[in-house]
Amino acid sequence: MSMNAQLVIEGVGKVYRVDEQTLAAVREVSLTVKRGEMVAVIGHSGSGKTTLLSMIGGIARPDSGRVLFNGRDIHTMNSDQLADYRCDKVGFMFQFASLLPMLTARENLLLPAAFGRSRGKPDGRAEQKAAELLALVGLGDRLAAYPAQLSGGQQRRVAIARAFMNDPELILADEPTGDLDEETEQDILRIFREYNRQGTTFVVVTHNRQLAASQDNPRVVRMKQGLLQEEIGPA
Amino acid sequence: MNSALEKQLNLLDYALASLWRRRLKNSSVLVVFTAVIFLVASFHLVTTALTETAGAVLRQTPEIVIQKMSAGRQEAIPVAYGEQLSRLFGIKKIVPRVWGYYFDEPFQANYTVLGVDPAAMPMGEHLVQTLLAGAWPGSAANQAVVGGAIRELLALSVAPPTVEDDFPDHSLFALHRPDRSLKLLSTVGVFRDETALLTADLIAMSLADARDLFQIPADLATDLCVYVHNPAEITNLARKIAAILPDTRVLTRPQIEQTYRVVFGWRSGFAAVCLLAALAAFVILAWDKASGLSPEERREIAILKILGWETADLLLVRCWEALIVALLAFVAGCTLAWLHVVFFEAALFRPVLVGWSVIHPPFALTPRIEVKDLLLLFVLTVLPYLAATVIPTWRGAVVPAEDALNG
């Protein structure tokens, strides 16, 4: 394992069982991601991209293989340690907006901060950071808006901003710009680049080759029928 | 601030926001839960008040009462019967008593008239403790002590009247003798509210006045009250008395207490079963509602878990939510129950616990709430609700985030 490797995936497999049938969503996938690297995972729908991301994030448990983060197998952690890992180390961006409807945009951003490293009440700094992040995604004037008062694209941007709240080491993004207009998409990609330059590692699932190609020297890997079929290399 | 405390405040913030978001559903639960607690608490207050009041008053009654029976019907007992018991060891005193029911037609009210001679009773001097105001009838004739309800009904004041209140004298009232002649009585005392269960409709007077009112000869009484030295010997003495006076019915205080307990017991038991059934139905409903977590709730749990919430955090939020609803319902339910019993005379339960007939005159209940009563109500109502809401959440929270996300 490289000294600089932050994320090491070793022969990971995941099989879903539906009734009597089994479906191998991910098969013997191995991948090493260095600290501060930007990896784009591309592939068709159903190729296993999201499942792979879920296993990296500790949401889904692999049936075989290991996922090592900073040298530790995350699937040997107990549920509380896994919760800490998800809270402190990882920022998630889902395919869907994943906002809680009873909280405002600002409160949705504070949600991970409330239970982050300090596990304390969001202080003024966290409030300020939430405001800055929302301004960064172009929603500086919608702090008090509830999700129902935001468009789908705006909700997506709030969720993107939330992923950065705890200064995670690793961002796992599943189709992050899927339903954004082109201009907003470019803004989001600029934010990704900025954080990436500061050392945040990104694993971005997309079937948008243009997105994969638009990163600064991204590493692009392709998933096909559960296999990490080829590594395309920097675009 | 302590980080553990801050975390709890965060969770409380979140719980309040969550409650507000589902305010319609939570308001309905709050209303129904408050109603259930109100019913259970009202019922408990009334039962406790009745039982305690009856117990307190019965402690002042004679240990044994002898009544003469004739062909199964009670009739006046010769005072001389007491002399036949004088050889029985253990009897402290035998005192004749005259009593009867009096129907006051203008007011459509039933009174209980009681004639006793406190001076002849072993604990007679303690009778004054049952009075809210005034004194027990002395040696002077035509004096009476009345229950609070009668005082209110007849608008009586307690003699002696003040100078300003000298005329007309509001302490006076009149009852009809059997020959329709009027017997004028002066109110010299009023019974305490705490004794209202047994004294609300009571008019107490001297033995001579009661005999005069009911036109009972001086050698007869309604019953004989027997006071004993050793309360443990009550049953033995009662058996001996019954053997000596075969034409009498001998009632003991334990028997009367037992009768009250049985009366309140089966009535309260009947009502308790109905109320507990309502409570159980509510808990089952809460369980059913909470155990079938909606897709929205499952998704919320999944998102929170993915954002780094621990299972314990999710449980704490649900605990806070349930606790807030339950405590609000508990405080509101208990307060309403208190108001219901004190100001509305337990209108919902009075017919069940006191009797189905119309009681004339009415009397007020004086409930007393103790910490143990509140704890009992808390255990009966709040804890089942907490269990019914938190346990299903725990079942939902331990599901892996992936499964929760996929519904």
Side-chain angles (χ1 to χ4, degrees):
Chain A
M1 189 194 320
S2 162
M3 288 293 286
N4 207 20
Q6 185 177 42
L7 178 67
V8 177
I9 300 163
E10 290 180 348
V12 160
K14 178 76 178 175
V15 175
Y16 288 111
R17 289 172 184 80
V18 182
D19 298 328
E20 297 298 308
Q21 294 193 324
T22 57
L23 172 69
V26 173
R27 291 185 278 184
E28 294 295 318
V29 168
S30 295
L31 180 69
T32 301
V33 181
K34 292 177 191 166
R35 190 179 305 279
E37 198 171 10
M38 170 89 75
V39 176
V41 184
I42 62 168
H44 294 296
S45 297
S47 60
K49 305 186 298 291
T50 299
T51 303
L52 179 64
L53 209 64
S54 298
M55 289 190 288
I56 296 171
I59 299 171
R61 186 173 287 275
D63 296 319
S64 59
R66 305 192 294 168
V67 176
L68 304 169
F69 183 83
N70 290 338
R72 183 165 182 201
D73 185 352
I74 62 167
H75 293 291
T76 61
M77 296 176 176
N78 64 32
S79 64
D80 289 348
Q81 290 168 331
L82 208 51
D84 284 343
Y85 164 73
R86 288 195 289 248
C87 185
D88 297 334
K89 308 292 184 190
V90 182
F92 276 96
M93 295 172 197
F94 299 92
Q95 277 181 328
F96 55 94
S98 72
L99 300 180
L100 294 184
M102 76 284 202
L103 302 179
T104 63
R106 186 186 61 84
E107 289 166 342
N108 264 288
L109 257 70
L110 290 172
L111 212 46
F115 298 91
R117 289 179 187 89
S118 65
R119 301 260 155 183
K121 194 171 179 65
D123 53 18
R125 222 171 30 181
E127 300 258 359
Q128 190 184 344
K129 183 165 186 187
E132 285 170 3
L133 282 169
L134 283 171
L136 201 62
V137 296
L139 294 171
D141 57 343
R142 306 306 306 274
L143 294 176
Y146 285 93
Q149 297 166 323
L150 299 171
S151 69
Q154 288 175 322
Q155 289 183 30
R156 175 59 73 94
R157 279 144 67 188
V158 174
I160 288 170
R162 186 180 60 191
F164 291 105
M165 259 312 282
N166 278 0
D167 295 322
E169 295 177 37
L170 172 66
I171 289 284
L172 300 174
D174 194 354
E175 299 287 358
T177 58
D179 47 11
L180 297 180
D181 60 74
E182 198 173 332
E183 190 182 344
T184 311
E185 182 178 316
Q186 291 308 315
D187 288 342
I188 297 301
L189 292 178
R190 263 198 299 278
I191 296 167
F192 280 18
R193 275 198 292 276
E194 181 56 35
Y195 271 89
N196 188 224
R197 275 195 207 102
Q198 290 170 18
T200 306
T201 307
F202 280 76
V203 177
V204 183
V205 162
T206 180
H207 53 244
N208 184 341
R209 260 203 99 102
Q210 191 188 355
L211 186 149
S214 65
Q215 308 296 310
D216 289 348
N217 299 314
R219 183 177 158 203
V220 182
V221 296
R222 180 195 295 276
M223 290 280 294
K224 189 172 184 181
Q225 293 181 341
L227 293 167
L228 191 66
Q229 199 185 36
E230 58 184 294
E231 189 152 338
I232 300 169
Chain B
M1 197 190 294
N2 182 296
S3 66
L5 180 61
E6 287 175 359
K7 182 176 174 179
Q8 290 304 317
L9 288 174
N10 282 342
L11 293 171
L12 185 56
D13 271 354
Y14 185 86
L16 287 170
S18 181
L19 284 174
W20 179 248
R21 179 176 55 132
R22 302 183 185 105
R23 54 189 174 278
L24 193 64
K25 186 190 103 178
N26 288 318
S27 303
S28 329
V29 170
L30 186 64
V31 168
V32 175
F33 198 20
T34 300
V36 170
I37 291 176
F38 160 74
L39 291 174
V40 174
S42 294
F43 170 74
H44 182 74
L45 280 176
V46 176
T47 310
T48 308
L50 285 173
T51 310
E52 287 195 359
T53 304
V57 176
L58 288 173
R59 278 193 289 276
Q60 309 292 328
T61 59
E63 283 95 356
I64 298 171
V65 173
I66 306 169
Q67 297 175 336
K68 187 169 188 300
M69 305 299 288
S70 174
R73 188 176 64 85
Q74 187 195 343
E75 62 178 28
I77 186 169
V79 176
Y81 270 35
E83 292 161 15
Q84 296 181 46
L85 306 175
S86 57
R87 61 188 167 88
L88 278 180
F89 183 75
I91 291 179
K92 192 190 292 179
K93 200 142 197 177
I94 299 174
V95 180
R97 186 171 69 173
V98 172
W99 61 271
Y101 299 114
Y102 183 98
F103 182 65
D104 192 353
E105 202 166 349
F107 289 98
Q108 293 289 298
N110 278 307
Y111 309 143
T112 302
V113 174
L114 176 68
V116 288
D117 181 4
M121 293 161 66
M123 306 281 279
E125 71 274 16
H126 291 163
L127 279 178
V128 73
Q129 291 172 6
T130 62
L131 302 183
L132 175 69
W136 201 264
S139 53
N142 302 323
Q143 293 184 336
V145 172
V146 299
I150 294 180
R151 181 196 187 185
E152 198 175 316
L153 186 73
L154 303 180
L156 294 173
S157 62
V158 178
T162 58
V163 175
E164 303 87 65
D165 206 17
D166 201 21
F167 184 81
D169 186 347
H170 291 293
S171 72
L172 295 177
F173 66 102
L175 301 176
H176 286 285
R177 295 188 185 88
D179 60 7
R180 303 300 297 163
S181 64
L182 281 173
K183 179 172 179 61
L184 201 62
L185 290 158
S186 171
T187 310
V188 294
V190 179
F191 287 109
R192 304 181 77 88
D193 289 342
E194 290 85 343
T195 64
L197 181 66
L198 296 188
T199 64
D201 67 341
L202 188 63
I203 301 173
M205 57 190 72
S206 70
L207 203 53
D209 280 330
R211 282 199 174 105
D212 177 35
L213 176 68
F214 291 124
Q215 300 283 281
I216 294 176
D219 59 339
L220 292 178
T222 311
D223 45 33
L224 298 177
C225 302
V226 180
Y227 297 89
V228 303
H229 288 292
N230 181 4
E233 288 296 318
I234 290 175
T235 309
N236 276 340
L237 279 169
R239 201 169 47 240
K240 288 175 184 172
I241 291 169
I244 294 169
L245 303 172
D247 59 342
T248 62
R249 175 169 64 183
V250 183
L251 301 170
T252 66
R253 188 161 70 192
Q255 281 175 338
I256 295 170
E257 285 171 343
Q258 178 65 16
T259 303
Y260 271 88
R261 271 198 297 273
V262 168
V263 168
F264 291 140
W266 84 259
R267 286 178 177 179
S268 63
F270 174 75
V273 166
C274 296
L275 288 178
L276 287 177
L279 183 64
F282 175 71
V283 169
I284 289 167
L285 188 72
W287 176 280
D288 184 52
K289 206 158 181 54
S291 58
L293 291 177
S294 67
E296 185 196 359
E297 287 166 324
R298 289 175 68 86
R299 192 173 134 113
E300 180 184 335
I301 288 175
I303 290 170
L304 292 173
K305 289 194 81 168
I306 290 166
L307 289 177
W309 283 44
E310 295 166 10
T311 302
D313 297 333
L314 293 165
L315 288 178
L316 278 170
V317 164
R318 286 290 178 266
C319 270
W320 275 119
E321 285 181 17
L323 203 59
I324 290 166
V325 170
L327 286 180
L328 278 176
F330 186 72
V331 171
C334 287
T335 307
L336 288 173
W338 174 265
L339 296 174
H340 170 231
V341 174
V342 173
F343 293 106
F344 297 96
E345 297 175 350
L348 289 178
F349 290 110
R350 200 183 172 103
V352 181
L353 289 169
V354 180
W356 280 269
S357 62
V358 178
I359 306 295
H360 289 293
F363 63 88
L365 286 167
T366 50
R368 188 183 53 172
I369 283 195
E370 290 184 6
V371 175
K372 67 179 173 62
D373 296 325
L374 290 174
L375 278 176
L376 177 69
L377 286 170
F378 188 85
V379 168
L380 278 176
T381 55
V382 174
L383 291 190
Y385 178 73
L386 289 181
T389 52
V390 173
I391 291 175
T393 304
W394 169 74
R395 286 168 56 197
V398 294
V399 171
E402 183 193 26
D403 294 348
L405 207 54
N406 295 331

